[in-house]
Amino acid sequence: MAQLFDQNQKAFGREPLAYLLRPKTLEEFFGQDEIVGDGKLLRYLIQKDKLHSVIFYGPPGCGKTTLAHIIANATSAEFESISAVISGVPELRKVIAAAKERKKMGRRTVVFVDEIHRFSKSQQDALLPYVEDGTVILIGATTENPSFEVISALLSRSQVFVFKMLDGRALKQILERGLKKVAELEGLNNLKMDEDGKNLLVAFANGDARVLLNTLEIVLKLVKKNEISVVDIQNVLQRKPLRYDKKGEEHYNIISALHKSMRDSDPDGALYWLGRMLEGGEDPLYLARRLIRFASEDVGMADPHALLVAVAAKDACHFNGMPECAVNLAQAVVHLSLAPKSNALYVAYSAVQSDIKTYGNLEVPLNMRNCPTQLMQEWGYGKDYKYAHSFEGARVDQQHLPDQLMGRKYYKPTDRGLEARIKEKLNG
């Protein structure tokens, strides 16, 4: 592959491969068949140039911006592009002003806002009236869940299309196209990559076409051979990047998966999601806090030791730090996964909260009140109070709740774990 690297300035002094390969038509677009495949609504709207305001939501490198550019090439409307990262209200006003003038002349304007979640609420509010009255057709692209990051009024006037991570088939097609493009640019007929190498690059990309093509360029720069093998690529790649945003939706998706795996008593699933968070850079103390909550919410009195284990894992995180404390958290996760499950405490306290909200500040029964003075005794404070230790088994049946809540049962133990014995005791 000497020709390619003897002319290094020519080969890599150009635009990035991801830019050069950006499709211009739907026929060149790979992936997302669920929304732009044959017979799908979005494909029809693009082909018939009848697009209305839409939000494209999905992970990085899945084709959101690319599809917006395809629409730009396909539509008869004027196409304006704004990056929410570098644009503000002044730039937005200029685009809107131009769109107003076109509307007077019967011409449409499509405005593409990349990373629309970066717009503040006031910036999104500034856009809203013009989406509503049809001055602009909005295409917003976001990697963050629009339910949280796009104002509800704008969402209600737009159709959300959910993009998925690109699958292996789509990435393989993009990779083949990238190899062909480089060969064309450099006049090479013998640029090859073995199938295992292609599969490794596809796996490394983790559903992101931009990562795939950027990595391909790095490999081509460093592996100076006509035929590139999987071993060559392994030597270039040191570690697979994990898609994990500690403040984004993926954070909440993965912590949800961890909780539900433990709740379902699946230690393998729980360990995997724990690892995904830790290896992605999550604060181990955040995980420890969630485990402590889980120990009471989902295990509770079915295994009281679960809380002790979770708190001990938190202390281990303080003492050891990463990476040593990963195994301490793993121990806690396995214990919580295998522990008998009960949400009786959680349900009980939720019912208490509900009654407090409903009834407000109910009075403490007189027999339960503290009585440190003679006057308070005269008022009846502490009257008829029964001292538990004076009775057999230290159990006393007397009024403990306010009058309005007499007979209320909050804690209802299950038949699982230690709670089976607790239930028997309470019913005895």
Side-chain angles (χ1 to χ4, degrees):
M1 202 170 181
Q3 305 102 312
L4 179 59
F5 293 95
D6 288 344
Q7 302 175 31
N8 209 33
Q9 289 293 331
K10 177 185 175 185
F12 297 105
R14 50 169 167 74
E15 294 92 343
L17 191 56
Y19 176 84
L20 291 173
L21 283 179
R22 176 162 281 165
K24 294 180 174 57
T25 66
L26 284 172
E27 287 66 37
E28 297 174 345
F29 185 83
F30 299 126
Q32 310 304 338
D33 290 339
E34 296 86 355
I35 55 177
V36 290
D38 290 336
K40 299 299 182 181
L41 174 62
L42 185 55
R43 188 181 192 91
Y44 170 82
L45 294 174
I46 294 171
Q47 290 176 332
K48 298 298 183 181
D49 199 9
K50 294 184 177 182
L51 192 72
H52 47 73
S53 291
V54 294
I55 302 291
F56 292 164
Y57 162 52
C62 66
K64 302 183 300 295
T65 302
T66 295
L67 193 56
H69 283 275
I70 289 174
I71 293 170
N73 293 328
T75 184
S76 60
E78 191 71 22
F79 190 89
E80 299 272 8
S81 183
I82 298 175
S83 171
V85 176
I86 59 177
S87 300
V89 172
E91 293 83 356
L92 190 57
R93 285 176 178 159
K94 290 178 184 178
V95 169
I96 296 298
K100 285 181 178 179
E101 293 302 314
R102 294 190 197 103
K103 187 181 180 184
K104 291 177 183 177
M105 296 182 286
R107 294 169 56 200
R108 298 174 302 144
T109 302
V110 174
V111 176
F112 172 56
V113 181
D114 199 11
E115 299 193 73
I116 192 171
H117 60 276
R118 303 260 185 174
F119 267 174
S120 66
K121 183 179 183 297
S122 61
Q123 288 171 312
Q124 293 183 39
D125 282 335
L127 185 58
L128 176 61
Y130 307 104
V131 172
E132 188 170 20
D133 69 11
T135 300
V136 300
I137 297 169
L138 170 68
I139 303 175
T142 175
T143 56
E144 301 297 328
N145 192 321
S147 299
F148 307 129
E149 303 297 337
V150 178
I151 60 174
S152 57
L154 205 53
L155 270 183
S156 68
R157 291 158 179 81
S158 308
Q159 184 167 359
V160 177
F161 288 95
V162 179
F163 287 58
K164 298 179 180 178
M165 293 172 59
L166 291 174
D167 60 24
R169 177 174 169 272
L171 288 172
K172 184 70 75 69
Q173 290 173 310
I174 293 168
L175 177 58
E176 297 284 5
R177 193 161 174 252
L179 287 167
K180 183 178 179 182
K181 185 68 173 180
V182 171
E184 288 175 359
L185 288 171
E186 308 308 324
L188 300 171
N189 296 318
N190 56 353
L191 176 57
K192 297 178 181 178
M193 181 179 293
D194 66 28
E195 284 302 310
D196 287 341
K198 292 175 184 177
N199 291 336
L200 179 58
L201 280 180
V202 166
F204 183 85
N206 200 28
D208 189 324
R210 192 177 297 108
V211 168
L212 175 72
L213 293 174
N214 289 344
T215 307
L216 174 61
E217 284 201 293
I218 293 171
V219 169
L220 292 176
K221 287 178 182 180
L222 299 179
V223 181
K224 302 182 180 182
K225 295 165 61 178
N226 288 322
E227 297 188 6
I228 303 172
S229 70
V230 66
V231 175
D232 297 323
I233 297 172
Q234 286 172 337
N235 290 334
V236 172
L237 306 180
Q238 297 301 311
R239 187 172 184 268
K240 183 173 181 175
L242 295 175
R243 182 168 65 88
Y244 181 71
D245 180 355
K246 288 192 283 184
K247 295 183 179 180
E249 188 195 2
E250 196 70 358
H251 164 86
Y252 297 104
N253 285 340
I254 294 181
I255 193 62
S256 175
L258 172 59
H259 269 239
K260 289 169 182 173
S261 297
M262 291 191 296
R263 184 179 294 142
D264 293 345
S265 300
D266 178 5
D268 299 306
L271 282 170
Y272 173 78
W273 295 118
L274 171 72
R276 278 287 299 276
M277 297 189 85
L278 288 174
E279 298 304 313
E282 183 57 76
D283 179 2
L285 286 173
Y286 166 79
L287 286 161
R289 287 193 296 272
R290 297 306 296 257
L291 296 185
I292 289 171
R293 167 74 182 194
F294 182 93
S296 293
E297 179 177 332
D298 284 279
V299 178
M301 293 301 294
D303 178 7
H305 290 98
L307 181 59
L308 303 180
V309 170
V311 172
K314 180 266 296 182
D315 291 340
C317 289
H318 273 298
F319 185 75
N320 282 337
M322 279 292 285
E324 287 82 2
C325 72
V327 71
N328 304 125
L329 288 170
Q331 180 177 346
V333 160
V334 170
H335 185 106
L336 293 172
S337 297
L338 298 178
K341 302 299 187 295
S342 169
N343 70 342
L345 285 177
Y346 176 74
V347 171
Y349 192 72
S350 297
V352 168
Q353 288 178 307
S354 177
D355 277 352
I356 291 171
K357 184 178 180 181
T358 300
Y359 294 100
N361 298 317
L362 298 179
E363 290 189 351
V364 177
L366 287 173
N367 64 313
M368 289 287 103
R369 297 188 189 187
N370 185 36
C371 185
T373 69
Q374 180 64 36
L375 181 60
M376 295 169 81
Q377 185 177 353
E378 293 174 3
W379 288 344
Y381 282 35
K383 183 181 180 180
D384 297 327
Y385 170 68
K386 301 173 184 176
Y387 183 58
H389 295 288
S390 300
F391 294 83
E392 185 179 352
R395 291 188 65 179
V396 175
D397 184 12
Q398 62 182 323
Q399 182 177 352
H400 298 104
L401 289 169
D403 292 343
Q404 296 90 329
L405 299 177
M406 284 284 286
R408 182 80 88 242
K409 298 292 184 184
Y410 293 114
Y411 178 54
K412 300 174 183 178
T414 69
D415 294 319
R416 296 183 290 275
L418 182 63
E419 275 196 331
R421 294 169 58 191
I422 294 173
K423 184 176 183 179
E424 182 180 349
K425 181 178 180 179
L426 287 176
N427 292 337

